[in-house]
Amino acid sequence: MARHPLTEISHMTEKEKMLAGLPYNSRDPELLQMYHTARTLFQEYNSLASAETARRSELLSSLFAKKGKGVWIEAPFYCDYGKLISIGANTFVNASCFFLDNNKIVIGQNGLIGPYVQIYTAGHPLKAVDRIVKTPEGTSRYKTVTAPVRIGDNVWIGGNTSIMPGIRIGNDVTIGAGSVVTKDLPDAVLAYGNPCKIIRSLKE
């Protein structure tokens, strides 16, 4: 006999809820351990001299779910958990990027990601009454839901761009600096603006 969906949810871990896009408790011990581990790794990474390439590569391999050959990330770099990030071969990430990986962030190969790019996978209810949850201890926590972000191959994202939860960006896309990407982008387009809009096709 099939279980009721509410029963299914009650048997899920907080991490499983997070990845399923359901409200979850970010102060769950498993998630906190992932959070602390990520910070230990990227704090060491950010403190290393640029010439220490072997140790830098080792730290990124420990931090991420997948790191392709030739990935280069300028310090400082920040993320939430790290283990939900996959980056394809030869992708370059410039300084001061923040990847908020409360769900999966998958970036293809041969990418160029400018400085201060922010990739978000988490969101909150718009109304404060729905967003703020009072705990029995008298403190507050905040209702959060997530959606993955997927970025294709050969994508150039200009500096200071923000990518919202659930966005899919196709292959061979160029996004102008300072954009706020709120909608999916198909293959081979130039797009920019706030909100980000398709300007023209880049297909030959």
Side-chain angles (χ1 to χ4, degrees):
M1 181 177 178
R3 290 185 290 178
H4 190 278
L6 290 177
T7 305
E8 292 280 1
I9 293 170
S10 70
H11 285 77
M12 297 171 76
T13 66
E14 296 303 310
K15 181 181 177 183
E16 288 170 339
K17 292 176 189 176
M18 182 178 76
L19 292 173
L22 298 169
Y24 68 97
N25 179 10
S26 63
R27 298 298 184 263
D28 172 72
E30 180 185 15
L31 294 177
L32 280 175
Q33 184 57 55
M34 291 172 60
Y35 170 93
H36 293 312
T37 297
R39 272 145 189 78
T40 298
L41 293 169
F42 73 63
Q43 285 169 5
E44 181 182 349
Y45 184 86
N46 291 340
S47 70
L48 285 175
S50 59
E52 295 186 57
T53 53
R55 180 58 180 159
R56 283 162 62 94
S57 180
E58 185 179 287
L59 287 167
L60 291 180
S61 294
S62 297
L63 180 62
F64 296 148
K66 176 186 174 184
K67 179 186 73 70
K69 185 177 180 181
V71 167
W72 186 281
I73 296 182
E74 288 287 346
F77 172 80
Y78 306 96
C79 61
D80 225 14
Y81 300 120
K83 283 300 183 185
L84 300 178
I85 298 171
S86 297
I87 302 180
N90 303 312
T91 286
F92 174 82
V93 179
N94 216 320
S96 298
C97 289
F98 196 119
F99 295 176
L100 192 69
D101 61 316
N102 304 106
N103 207 313
K104 292 182 179 180
I105 295 174
V106 179
I107 300 170
Q109 61 185 358
N110 304 319
L112 286 171
I113 298 179
Y116 295 97
V117 167
Q118 301 166 74
I119 301 176
Y120 299 113
T121 63
H124 311 280
L126 297 180
K127 292 183 178 180
V129 68
D130 298 327
R131 182 171 61 247
I132 301 169
V133 179
K134 295 295 184 182
T135 69
E137 295 79 20
T139 59
S140 298
R141 62 182 180 87
Y142 308 97
K143 189 173 289 185
T144 304
V145 294
T146 73
V149 170
R150 297 186 180 275
I151 298 169
D153 297 336
N154 316 317
V155 173
W156 176 20
I157 302 173
N160 209 33
T161 290
S162 297
I163 299 173
M164 298 297 107
I167 294 297
R168 288 176 176 263
I169 296 170
N171 299 321
D172 308 312
V173 171
T174 296
I175 299 172
S179 295
V180 178
V181 185
T182 61
K183 294 182 179 179
D184 292 354
L185 295 172
D187 291 349
V189 295
L190 168 65
Y192 55 77
N194 181 7
C196 188
K197 294 181 180 180
I198 296 172
I199 305 302
R200 62 183 174 89
S201 173
L202 295 176
K203 293 179 180 177
E204 295 180 359

